[in-house]
């Protein structure tokens, strides 16, 4: 008999694994980024909450992290702009002295059938989703290499977590820009993991499936849409942002110290070819 799964409680206690660590989460004022920033704060990290629009929402995330007992600061910057990224890292160093954890989360969609997609739509999505991750990862790597390992904080010199998608492997009609950006993240992440490992830097991706956030409201906000979505998800529930936050804590912590260069799919089985569950 199949059952309707329900998520772990959003108030589930997060273990304190990140005390003394300084984290930057991009695109942290909503959706997955927001949940990751709060989870890292609950786990003891001090967090810089990057955002590009929406001061009030960013402040609300800062307040939630402070309420959890960690430090937090909102930093406005467009991750696709080199000068703004560099200024954001300088601000982070003024606030916290250094960085231990970068979560490359900022991302967006501008969907169109391939033959109708404008170059502006293509460049915008690649600029934020892929070049933005490159620019932030480059700054973090520079600091990790400069500073090296601080044993009281972590056995690694630094951790980078890239938020990719199931669409780093699943082609997605009418989303060529988005799928290309996520496929690009996969090999950027693995190449950086190879390059950073000798310096004690771990680099991994989380590949979310369908998560209940503003990016994909139309996929879940009516009973018909939700039922259609479930045909893609063997585990029979949508993902919640906290599902991703918990995995980010694990990947940022020394519990996962031997994991680098991995794409961790957090998707309720979306990448398991659900149509092959029967027949084939
Ligand atoms: C996209 C969502 C989509 C999900 C599963 C994500 O990367 O941003 O819009 O629902 O993949 O297809």
């Amino acid at each position: 008999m199949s059952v309707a799964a329900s998520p772990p409680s959003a108030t589930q206690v997060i273990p304190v694994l990140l005390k003394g660590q300084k984290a930057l989460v991009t695109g942290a004022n909503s959706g997955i980024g927001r949940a990751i920033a709060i989870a890292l704060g609950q786990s003891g990290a001090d967090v810089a909450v990057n955002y590009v629009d929406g001061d009030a929402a960013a402040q609300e995330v800062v307040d939630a992290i402070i309420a959890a007992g960690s430090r937090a600061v909102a930093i406005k910057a467009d991750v696709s702009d080199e000068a703004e990224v560099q200024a954001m890292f300088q601000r982070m160093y003024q606030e916290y002295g250094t960085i231990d954890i970068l979560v490359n989360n900022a991302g967006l969609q501008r969907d169109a059938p391939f033959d109708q997609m404008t170059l502006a739509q293509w460049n915008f999505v690649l600029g934020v989703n892929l070049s933005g991750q490159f620019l932030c990862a480059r700054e973090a790597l520079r600091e990790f290499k400069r500073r090296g390992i601080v044993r009281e904080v972590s056995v690694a010199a630094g951790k980078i977590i890239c938020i990719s998608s199931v669409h780093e492997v699943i082609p997605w009609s009418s989303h060529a820009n988005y799928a290309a950006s996520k496929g690009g993240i996969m090999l950027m992440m693995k190449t950086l993991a190879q390059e950073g490992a000798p310096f004690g830097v771990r680099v991994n991706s989380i590949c979310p499936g369908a998560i209940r956030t503003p990016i994909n409201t139309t996929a879940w906000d009516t009973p018909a849409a939700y039922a259609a979505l479930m045909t893609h998800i063997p585990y029979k529930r949508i993902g919640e942002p906290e599902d991703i936050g918990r995995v980010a804590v694990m990947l940022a912590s020394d519990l996962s110290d031997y994991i680098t260069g991995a794409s961790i799919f957090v998707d309720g089985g979306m990448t398991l070819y659900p149509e092959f569950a029967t027949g084939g």
Side-chain angles (χ1 to χ4, degrees), residues 116-149:
Q116 290 163 38
M117 188 174 287
T118 64
L119 181 59
Q121 287 173 319
W122 175 268
N123 283 338
F124 187 44
V125 170
L126 270 290
V128 173
N129 296 14
L130 185 56
S131 303
Q133 292 211 9
F134 159 70
L135 290 170
C136 293
R138 190 182 63 176
E139 293 308 310
L141 180 67
R142 287 173 175 166
E143 173 64 4
F144 298 157
K145 287 175 76 168
R146 183 199 66 74
R147 191 205 55 225
I149 296 169

Side-chain angles (χ1 to χ4, degrees), residues 116-235:
Q116 290 163 38
M117 188 174 287
T118 64
L119 181 59
Q121 287 173 319
W122 175 268
N123 283 338
F124 187 44
V125 170
L126 270 290
V128 173
N129 296 14
L130 185 56
S131 303
Q133 292 211 9
F134 159 70
L135 290 170
C136 293
R138 190 182 63 176
E139 293 308 310
L141 180 67
R142 287 173 175 166
E143 173 64 4
F144 298 157
K145 287 175 76 168
R146 183 199 66 74
R147 191 205 55 225
I149 296 169
V150 181
R151 291 243 172 239
E152 310 80 70
V153 170
S154 173
V155 297
K159 284 84 56 166
I160 297 174
I161 300 169
C162 299
I163 304 306
S164 180
S165 166
V166 290
H167 298 295
E168 75 169 43
V169 294
I170 303 179
W172 202 12
S173 182
S174 295
H175 301 76
N177 48 1
Y178 185 83
S181 74
K182 297 301 183 178
I185 288 169
M186 177 178 63
L187 275 178
M188 182 191 72
M189 179 278 288
K190 288 178 190 286
T191 302
L192 175 55
Q194 190 188 59
E195 207 167 321
F199 301 95
V201 175
R202 295 195 296 111
V203 190
N204 294 288
S205 287
I206 297 175
C207 302
I211 309 297
R212 193 195 306 272
T213 74
I215 209 172
N216 60 356
T217 313
T218 54
W220 51 263
D221 73 343
T222 65
Y226 193 87
L229 183 62
M230 287 309 108
T231 66
H232 300 302
I233 304 178
Y235 203 53

